[in-house]
Amino acid sequence: MSLATSEPPAPPPAGESPSPVRAVAIAVAVAIVLLAVAAFFAVRAQSDESADDGWGGELLRAPLAKPDFTLTDTEGQPYDFRASTDGFVTLLFFGYTSCPDVCPLHMGNIAAVLREVSGEVEEKVKVVFVTTDPARDTPAVLRDWLDRFDTTFVGLTGTAEEILAAERAAHVPEAQLEIQPADESYIVAHSSQVIAYSLDDQAHLVYPFGVRQSEWAGDLPRLVTSEWQS
Amino acid sequence: MSFWCQALKEPWSWQFRAYPGVWLAAGLLAFAYFRSVWRRHRRTGAPIDRRKALWFALGWAVLWLASDWPLATLGASYLASAHMVQYMLYTLVAAPLLVLGTPEWMARRVAERFRIYRTLRFLARPVVAAIAFNVVLLVTHTPIVVDNVRTTQLGGFALDLLWLASGVILWQPLISPLPELIHKSFPVRMVYLFLAAGVFAMIPGGFLTFSSFPLYRTYELAPRIQDFGALSDQQLAGAIMKIGNIPIVWTVMAVLFFRWATVERDGPPARKPLNSPRQTTAPGG
């Protein structure tokens, strides 16, 4: 077989002006502009991420004490939050299982990271999810939902008054029901931050919506080793 | 309603979203093509090449499908895998179909009108086309570009255009409507396609597949669809980038191989199928 077949060259149309050299110059110019734009965004993104001494979460000026409340876990047993989480880095989050965005993202991201970090770190981290929608989030519903992420996640519920008291103890805004006019269903407006209590039973960092898995992966080992102190 | 697709911050729903810019662009493209074909037919009496018109219509339909709701919405806001399907449709399906559907006289007229013949000829060199296509692939799939450009209307529009342009460039050495731009050598064409569209995509595809954490903020923090995790979505996107091109690339390579064999055995065909270059070599070279 031959490697080529010949063909008569077709003459270029009249009125051509751009030469290959000019085309290369244009391509290089476009590439430079693209690189400049990319560099701008890269620098901007890096400066955003370098805030708070490299922590993915937000450092609190004044640490929050670990709250003292007792709710009901998904087995129907009383759960003393302070006592049951003693000796663990504890990630506390108030949300609800029907939440369309923030709650499943936080839980999913934390669960994904806990599968990636070392066993030592994983064993020292406890995740506690307190429902802000006790009417719909029965213990069974709560357990089913949390098991989609991680079977070790703790789910807590209680009466509306008990949950309100827990929110106040944890210094998070009170959840509010918002009725949807269309079908009279409701959503629950709630705090979107995960509070991270360190081994000293104080929260030095919170994790608002937008914290990424890579940031959790960087922070959890540091929280376990109490690196925030240095 | 927005002109072009942009990132949404709300949970995904199957409620239809209108993108008038997409309809306008699709309408203008179809109008310009068929008006041009019809006017030439009326003026010169030349028959309309129905096969080319069909190729164009198919390419146009795929282009619209990739640019409009729901795929574009999913790709801009929720799923890296949908973003990747869009890219594959633009570059490996819509672009070659549109190129196949473009008559030679139309391509020459466009090249002359916009004075881009030499640029086209330069870009149609296999090495240049391969580099251009893969630079666009790499740049437009970096997290910085996806998270900052893809998510806006203007950025999404620009990226869609860039993808289509890179796809058109990719296919020039193979099926250009200008026969002199098609590379003369069948083996070179096959190797070119394998390297340009098959091999280099493995690199970014590998990054997406084997990364421990999601690379794109947009998709990682988007409301989840049916519990489909961000990392699983990204791994699927990487798999699509790495192996999604295989059916097209290998099918085209097989077609090229058999044409090569046919030309070698029988000589150049009297009637050219699918934009192959004018071949005048006698059997046996």
Side-chain angles (χ1 to χ4, degrees), chain A residues 132-149:
Chain A
T132 55
D133 185 12
R136 288 187 292 195
D137 289 347
T138 63
V141 168
L142 204 49
R143 188 68 266 154
D144 283 348
W145 187 77
L146 288 170
D147 284 350
R148 284 158 46 183
F149 306 105

mmCIF file of all heavy atoms in Angstrom, chain A residues 132-149:
data_model
loop_
_atom_site.group_PDB
_atom_site.id
_atom_site.type_symbol
_atom_site.label_atom_id
_atom_site.label_comp_id
_atom_site.label_asym_id
_atom_site.label_seq_id
_atom_site.Cartn_x
_atom_site.Cartn_y
_atom_site.Cartn_z
ATOM 1 N N THR A 132 -34.042 19.821 62.548
ATOM 2 C CA THR A 132 -34.815 21.039 62.838
ATOM 3 C C THR A 132 -36.250 20.868 62.354
ATOM 4 O O THR A 132 -37.013 21.822 62.310
ATOM 5 C CB THR A 132 -34.176 22.249 62.138
ATOM 6 O OG1 THR A 132 -34.059 21.956 60.732
ATOM 7 C CG2 THR A 132 -32.824 22.576 62.724
ATOM 8 N N ASP A 133 -36.572 19.633 61.977
ATOM 9 C CA ASP A 133 -37.912 19.341 61.457
ATOM 10 C C ASP A 133 -38.427 18.062 62.117
ATOM 11 O O ASP A 133 -38.636 17.035 61.464
ATOM 12 C CB ASP A 133 -37.819 19.151 59.930
ATOM 13 C CG ASP A 133 -39.174 18.952 59.275
ATOM 14 O OD1 ASP A 133 -40.202 19.191 59.944
ATOM 15 O OD2 ASP A 133 -39.193 18.546 58.100
ATOM 16 N N PRO A 134 -38.648 18.115 63.448
ATOM 17 C CA PRO A 134 -38.993 16.873 64.163
ATOM 18 C C PRO A 134 -40.321 16.276 63.713
ATOM 19 O O PRO A 134 -40.526 15.073 63.875
ATOM 20 C CB PRO A 134 -39.044 17.323 65.634
ATOM 21 C CG PRO A 134 -39.270 18.793 65.590
ATOM 22 C CD PRO A 134 -38.600 19.288 64.343
ATOM 23 N N ALA A 135 -41.206 17.081 63.145
ATOM 24 C CA ALA A 135 -42.504 16.541 62.717
ATOM 25 C C ALA A 135 -42.328 15.508 61.608
ATOM 26 O O ALA A 135 -42.984 14.471 61.597
ATOM 27 C CB ALA A 135 -43.398 17.688 62.236
ATOM 28 N N ARG A 136 -41.449 15.764 60.682
ATOM 29 C CA ARG A 136 -41.252 14.818 59.570
ATOM 30 C C ARG A 136 -40.093 13.868 59.818
ATOM 31 O O ARG A 136 -40.092 12.738 59.338
ATOM 32 C CB ARG A 136 -41.005 15.598 58.259
ATOM 33 C CG ARG A 136 -42.252 16.282 57.736
ATOM 34 C CD ARG A 136 -42.022 16.905 56.368
ATOM 35 N NE ARG A 136 -41.105 18.042 56.421
ATOM 36 C CZ ARG A 136 -40.962 18.920 55.422
ATOM 37 N NH1 ARG A 136 -41.666 18.773 54.322
ATOM 38 N NH2 ARG A 136 -40.111 19.931 55.542
ATOM 39 N N ASP A 137 -39.095 14.374 60.548
ATOM 40 C CA ASP A 137 -37.900 13.542 60.761
ATOM 41 C C ASP A 137 -38.062 12.657 61.985
ATOM 42 O O ASP A 137 -37.513 12.930 63.065
ATOM 43 C CB ASP A 137 -36.658 14.435 60.901
ATOM 44 C CG ASP A 137 -36.271 15.077 59.591
ATOM 45 O OD1 ASP A 137 -36.797 14.653 58.540
ATOM 46 O OD2 ASP A 137 -35.468 16.032 59.612
ATOM 47 N N THR A 138 -38.806 11.588 61.822
ATOM 48 C CA THR A 138 -38.903 10.603 62.904
ATOM 49 C C THR A 138 -37.549 9.916 63.039
ATOM 50 O O THR A 138 -36.708 9.998 62.120
ATOM 51 C CB THR A 138 -39.969 9.553 62.557
ATOM 52 O OG1 THR A 138 -39.537 8.859 61.373
ATOM 53 C CG2 THR A 138 -41.325 10.206 62.307
ATOM 54 N N PRO A 139 -37.310 9.250 64.145
ATOM 55 C CA PRO A 139 -36.030 8.549 64.285
ATOM 56 C C PRO A 139 -35.748 7.608 63.110
ATOM 57 O O PRO A 139 -34.610 7.519 62.647
ATOM 58 C CB PRO A 139 -36.205 7.784 65.602
ATOM 59 C CG PRO A 139 -37.129 8.641 66.397
ATOM 60 C CD PRO A 139 -38.093 9.216 65.406
ATOM 61 N N ALA A 140 -36.762 6.926 62.616
ATOM 62 C CA ALA A 140 -36.538 5.995 61.501
ATOM 63 C C ALA A 140 -36.155 6.747 60.224
ATOM 64 O O ALA A 140 -35.239 6.337 59.493
ATOM 65 C CB ALA A 140 -37.803 5.171 61.268
ATOM 66 N N VAL A 141 -36.863 7.846 59.976
ATOM 67 C CA VAL A 141 -36.553 8.647 58.783
ATOM 68 C C VAL A 141 -35.133 9.200 58.882
ATOM 69 O O VAL A 141 -34.347 9.166 57.921
ATOM 70 C CB VAL A 141 -37.579 9.798 58.628
ATOM 71 C CG1 VAL A 141 -37.107 10.800 57.577
ATOM 72 C CG2 VAL A 141 -38.949 9.249 58.281
ATOM 73 N N LEU A 142 -34.820 9.667 60.072
ATOM 74 C CA LEU A 142 -33.495 10.237 60.310
ATOM 75 C C LEU A 142 -32.401 9.184 60.088
ATOM 76 O O LEU A 142 -31.384 9.443 59.436
ATOM 77 C CB LEU A 142 -33.464 10.751 61.755
ATOM 78 C CG LEU A 142 -32.501 11.850 62.159
ATOM 79 C CD1 LEU A 142 -32.557 13.020 61.198
ATOM 80 C CD2 LEU A 142 -32.859 12.327 63.578
ATOM 81 N N ARG A 143 -32.650 7.981 60.605
ATOM 82 C CA ARG A 143 -31.646 6.916 60.479
ATOM 83 C C ARG A 143 -31.444 6.510 59.011
ATOM 84 O O ARG A 143 -30.317 6.362 58.536
ATOM 85 C CB ARG A 143 -32.112 5.709 61.290
ATOM 86 C CG ARG A 143 -31.106 4.580 61.429
ATOM 87 C CD ARG A 143 -29.910 4.959 62.285
ATOM 88 N NE ARG A 143 -28.804 5.450 61.486
ATOM 89 C CZ ARG A 143 -27.872 6.296 61.947
ATOM 90 N NH1 ARG A 143 -27.900 6.729 63.180
ATOM 91 N NH2 ARG A 143 -26.914 6.719 61.162
ATOM 92 N N ASP A 144 -32.576 6.363 58.322
ATOM 93 C CA ASP A 144 -32.480 5.992 56.899
ATOM 94 C C ASP A 144 -31.690 7.034 56.115
ATOM 95 O O ASP A 144 -30.851 6.700 55.275
ATOM 96 C CB ASP A 144 -33.884 5.865 56.285
ATOM 97 C CG ASP A 144 -34.550 4.571 56.674
ATOM 98 O OD1 ASP A 144 -33.856 3.690 57.217
ATOM 99 O OD2 ASP A 144 -35.772 4.451 56.442
ATOM 100 N N TRP A 145 -31.987 8.282 56.384
ATOM 101 C CA TRP A 145 -31.340 9.362 55.640
ATOM 102 C C TRP A 145 -29.848 9.420 55.950
ATOM 103 O O TRP A 145 -29.021 9.508 55.035
ATOM 104 C CB TRP A 145 -32.026 10.689 55.989
ATOM 105 C CG TRP A 145 -31.561 11.853 55.172
ATOM 106 C CD1 TRP A 145 -31.912 12.135 53.887
ATOM 107 C CD2 TRP A 145 -30.673 12.889 55.587
ATOM 108 N NE1 TRP A 145 -31.303 13.285 53.479
ATOM 109 C CE2 TRP A 145 -30.529 13.776 54.495
ATOM 110 C CE3 TRP A 145 -29.987 13.172 56.772
ATOM 111 C CZ2 TRP A 145 -29.726 14.920 54.557
ATOM 112 C CZ3 TRP A 145 -29.194 14.311 56.831
ATOM 113 C CH2 TRP A 145 -29.067 15.154 55.731
ATOM 114 N N LEU A 146 -29.493 9.337 57.231
ATOM 115 C CA LEU A 146 -28.067 9.403 57.608
ATOM 116 C C LEU A 146 -27.296 8.193 57.088
ATOM 117 O O LEU A 146 -26.127 8.313 56.697
ATOM 118 C CB LEU A 146 -27.928 9.511 59.131
ATOM 119 C CG LEU A 146 -28.338 10.852 59.734
ATOM 120 C CD1 LEU A 146 -28.382 10.763 61.255
ATOM 121 C CD2 LEU A 146 -27.392 11.970 59.292
ATOM 122 N N ASP A 147 -27.954 7.051 57.046
ATOM 123 C CA ASP A 147 -27.271 5.840 56.562
ATOM 124 C C ASP A 147 -26.895 5.953 55.089
ATOM 125 O O ASP A 147 -26.013 5.226 54.619
ATOM 126 C CB ASP A 147 -28.165 4.608 56.771
ATOM 127 C CG ASP A 147 -28.173 4.171 58.230
ATOM 128 O OD1 ASP A 147 -27.355 4.702 59.004
ATOM 129 O OD2 ASP A 147 -29.006 3.322 58.586
ATOM 130 N N ARG A 148 -27.564 6.832 54.365
ATOM 131 C CA ARG A 148 -27.164 7.047 52.968
ATOM 132 C C ARG A 148 -25.767 7.641 52.889
ATOM 133 O O ARG A 148 -25.083 7.537 51.867
ATOM 134 C CB ARG A 148 -28.161 7.989 52.272
ATOM 135 C CG ARG A 148 -29.462 7.293 51.912
ATOM 136 C CD ARG A 148 -30.618 8.234 51.729
ATOM 137 N NE ARG A 148 -30.321 9.412 50.920
ATOM 138 C CZ ARG A 148 -31.188 10.398 50.695
ATOM 139 N NH1 ARG A 148 -32.402 10.344 51.202
ATOM 140 N NH2 ARG A 148 -30.854 11.437 49.967
ATOM 141 N N PHE A 149 -25.372 8.311 53.962
ATOM 142 C CA PHE A 149 -24.040 8.947 53.968
ATOM 143 C C PHE A 149 -23.041 8.105 54.758
ATOM 144 O O PHE A 149 -21.977 7.762 54.270
ATOM 145 C CB PHE A 149 -24.123 10.350 54.565
ATOM 146 C CG PHE A 149 -25.153 11.216 53.897
ATOM 147 C CD1 PHE A 149 -26.361 11.499 54.518
ATOM 148 C CD2 PHE A 149 -24.931 11.723 52.624
ATOM 149 C CE1 PHE A 149 -27.314 12.277 53.887
ATOM 150 C CE2 PHE A 149 -25.884 12.500 51.991
ATOM 151 C CZ PHE A 149 -27.081 12.778 52.630
#
